Amino acid sequence: MMDNHFQSCIPIQKEWDIVAARQQGRDFSKQIGFGAVDQARIATAISELARNIYLYAQKGAICFEYIEDMEHKGIKIIASDEGPGISDISRVMEDGYTTSGGLGAGLPGIKRLMDHFDIYSEEGKGTEVTIQKWLR
Amino acid sequence: MDKLLREIVLENSDHIVKKWLTEIDRKKADNYTVSISEELFESTNREFVNVIFSSVEKEGMLEDLHKFSERLIHLGWPLSYLTEGMQAFRRVTMNFILERSEEVDSQQFTEILEGVDQWIDPIVNFLVNEYSGNWENTVSIQRMALQELSAPLIPVMEGITIMPLVGTIDTERAKLIMENLLDGVIKHNAEVVLMDITGVPVVDTMVAHHIIQAAEAVRLIGASCILVGIRPEIAQTIVNLGIDLSNFPTKSSLQKGFRSALEITGRRVVNVGEEDDVENILDSLGKE
Ligand SMILES: Nc1ncnc2c1ncn2[C@@H]1O[C@H](COP(=O)(O)OP(=O)(O)O)[C@@H](O)[C@H]1O
Ligand SMILES: [Mg+2]
């Protein structure tokens, strides 16, 4: 159906790019075969990541990749930016921690929505969040 | 406009018009006229060239041109039709003068060149301004229409108001929702507002945050807000995100929300006869 290397990226600069990114994520996960609930989870996770880029790093990109192993297929999403970075990762992973008067539920929420969550950030360099969801 | 130029243009109008029409007809291939019939295209061209000549005759008066461009804007013709028409007129006129260059010396030629530019440029600027002014106008009207659409408030009965939300909620729209909600509660004297999110595709933490704030503000002005139309997949996502809506009145459907609203406002649905099946009416309210 899809080849392994398929990857596409949506640049995030304007608020409406967030909508474009999650639309792409929704279409892509539908193609892979995810049901309505997982599609909503994936679209919501993308929305959180894209909004964080827009709010804290001003610009960046969301990339999508089709993944598979012996038993399953799935989706991998990478959100990257060259913004200010995060100094204390464990702190931003706490429920309710926010520097913008938000709910502070984005990053810990994404972790619960997805099967795999990985964050790498360097102060002054940028942030990269990688998430995955497997089709069951 | 330069006197010499005017004389040349007017004396040779037949020739220039013919050349201009051929030039413009070639442009037809450039797809901007695909949806325009042959006859309309030709008659508009004739009218356009007459307007140009009348402006030459009247020494650069823009009155006819204004009327003509206004009509084209109204009919949705592209601006490029007019600007290309003017450029073609410049080319045709210059070529014509060049062909007969034995009759004009180089001094006169430079004057004519300048004269043509000084005459054409203001007209092109004028047309661009007419078009962009109109376009800005259209955009601002559409924007207003969209704003009205983006957070409508429906006073269904005394004390009960519904705000159906359809489509993506961005920061601007979130602000509007809050404003309209508070204004509407006061204006319609609402006791209960039903906020229906059936048509909102994604409820992330930002949308949830705005909804919580709006409901809190409604509570502060003495009314209550019930969130309805939470689709199953949205409910699961909200729970996964860890958003706590437990002190927030929610109902799965508009129908159920409406029942609670009736209770809150001290009312009850009574079945008065077979034909007046209120239950059915309520049922149809819950449909999307
Ligand atoms: N891409 C990013 N670059 C820099 N800082 C970020 C980024 N994403 C998140 N953060 C920081 O982590 C905090 C928590 O983010 P999140 O959990 O999404 O909650 P919220 O966005 O509501 O504040 C943010 O307030 C911000 O300080
Ligand atoms: Mg966030």
Side-chain angles (χ1 to χ4, degrees):
Chain A
M1 178 191 81
M2 246 177 278
D3 74 274
N4 266 339
H5 314 289
F6 183 88
Q7 203 198 25
S8 70
C9 292
I10 303 270
I12 306 294
Q13 275 173 20
K14 306 184 295 295
E15 191 174 4
W16 279 88
D17 294 336
I18 300 169
V19 181
R22 67 189 189 213
Q23 194 56 48
Q24 173 92 358
R26 201 187 272 279
D27 289 349
F28 204 35
S29 47
K30 199 187 277 177
Q31 270 181 55
I32 295 169
F34 285 105
V37 177
D38 277 342
Q39 279 178 40
R41 288 188 173 121
I42 292 165
T44 308
I46 293 168
S47 193
E48 296 295 340
L49 291 174
R51 185 166 300 279
N52 283 353
I53 291 177
Y54 171 73
L55 282 179
Y56 310 116
Q58 279 70 53
K59 59 180 201 285
I62 306 272
C63 297
F64 305 88
E65 212 173 299
Y66 169 70
I67 49 172
E68 60 185 352
D69 65 7
M70 304 291 270
E71 301 122 79
H72 342 67
K73 39 191 186 167
I75 187 171
K76 178 171 168 178
I77 298 151
I78 303 166
S80 55
D81 65 64
E82 292 176 1
I86 297 166
S87 56
D88 189 348
I89 302 266
S90 59
R91 198 128 159 248
V92 300
M93 292 311 293
E94 282 168 22
D95 268 304
Y97 177 80
T98 177
T99 56
S100 66
L103 283 181
L107 290 172
I110 300 168
K111 192 169 177 178
R112 286 188 290 264
L113 287 168
M114 306 302 281
D115 295 328
H116 171 90
F117 177 98
D118 210 15
I119 181 165
Y120 175 80
S121 187
E122 212 174 309
E123 251 192 299
K125 290 255 172 76
T127 304
E128 186 172 287
V129 180
T130 306
I131 54 177
Q132 285 177 15
K133 186 92 189 160
W134 294 107
L135 180 63
R136 278 168 228 285
Chain B
M1 158 179 220
D2 186 70
K3 194 160 139 271
L4 181 63
L5 171 65
R6 193 164 83 233
E7 270 162 25
I8 295 176
V9 170
L10 290 180
E11 266 167 33
N12 301 282
S13 62
D14 287 354
H15 185 90
I16 291 176
V17 166
K18 224 176 87 203
K19 279 257 152 106
W20 185 86
L21 286 172
T22 335
E23 278 254 329
I24 285 299
D25 212 52
R26 266 199 296 140
K27 286 271 171 216
K28 193 179 158 88
D30 304 356
N31 60 21
Y32 65 79
T33 50
V34 278
S35 57
I36 297 165
S37 76
E38 196 81 20
E39 299 84 57
L40 181 61
F41 185 63
E42 274 168 21
S43 68
T44 308
N45 289 343
R46 295 211 166 269
E47 204 184 332
F48 189 8
V49 79
N50 286 339
V51 167
I52 294 176
F53 271 95
S54 95
S55 131
V56 174
E57 252 171 307
K58 293 175 186 160
E59 308 193 28
M61 281 262 303
L62 298 174
E63 188 52 38
D64 293 347
L65 206 65
H66 169 70
K67 281 194 197 123
F68 179 67
S69 67
E70 206 169 59
R71 230 183 56 239
L72 287 197
I73 290 170
H74 193 73
L75 293 170
W77 283 55
L79 171 62
S80 58
Y81 171 75
L82 290 171
T83 51
E84 277 169 14
M86 293 311 295
Q87 304 306 351
F89 190 78
R90 189 206 302 262
R91 271 195 309 277
V92 168
T93 315
M94 295 313 291
N95 281 342
F96 178 76
I97 294 167
L98 268 174
E99 277 165 21
R100 308 188 335 154
S101 56
E102 334 66 89
E103 290 171 39
V104 276
D105 61 35
S106 65
Q107 167 74 25
Q108 281 175 320
F109 184 70
T110 331
E111 276 169 24
I112 293 169
L113 249 177
E114 279 172 9
V116 171
D117 280 347
Q118 273 170 19
W119 177 69
I120 297 256
D121 291 347
I123 294 182
V124 171
N125 288 343
F126 170 81
L127 291 170
V128 170
N129 283 339
E130 289 270 285
Y131 259 76
S132 61
N134 224 283
W135 196 71
E136 276 159 21
N137 203 13
T138 311
V139 171
S140 88
I141 290 170
Q142 282 176 346
R143 203 186 162 78
M144 261 161 60
L146 212 68
Q147 276 190 357
E148 274 169 21
L149 268 179
S150 59
L153 213 60
I154 307 165
V156 271
M157 66 166 67
E158 216 195 305
I160 303 176
T161 296
I162 300 178
M163 180 179 270
L165 296 173
V166 177
T168 294
I169 297 176
D170 61 349
T171 22
E172 195 174 328
R173 194 163 171 218
K175 269 188 224 136
L176 264 176
I177 291 172
M178 175 77 96
E179 282 166 22
N180 287 5
L181 203 57
L182 296 181
D183 286 353
V185 165
I186 290 165
K187 188 170 141 211
H188 303 301
N189 209 354
E191 282 175 67
V192 184
V193 186
L194 297 160
M195 205 192 289
D196 186 0
I197 59 162
T198 313
V200 179
V202 172
V203 179
D204 57 11
T205 60
M206 186 208 73
V207 172
H209 193 203
H210 282 294
I211 290 173
I212 292 170
Q213 284 182 326
E216 188 57 28
V218 167
R219 201 182 61 80
L220 284 176
I221 58 172
S224 47
C225 183
I226 303 175
L227 189 61
V228 303
I230 305 175
R231 284 173 282 128
E233 68 269 25
I234 300 289
Q236 291 210 40
T237 316
I238 290 176
V239 171
N240 287 149
L241 280 174
I243 296 167
D244 185 15
L245 290 180
S246 56
N247 6 350
F248 195 98
T250 54
K251 286 279 179 264
S252 56
S253 66
L254 181 56
Q255 179 197 7
K256 293 200 178 109
F258 194 69
R259 267 180 223 279
S260 316
L262 287 174
E263 274 166 35
I264 295 171
T265 54
R267 279 176 284 212
R268 187 158 62 87
V269 177
V270 184
N271 211 339
V272 287
E274 287 164 349
E275 281 165 55
D276 278 332
D277 200 347
V278 186
E279 289 294 316
N280 275 341
I281 298 170
L282 273 181
D283 275 343
S284 69
L285 255 179
K287 301 243 165 63
E288 288 150 30

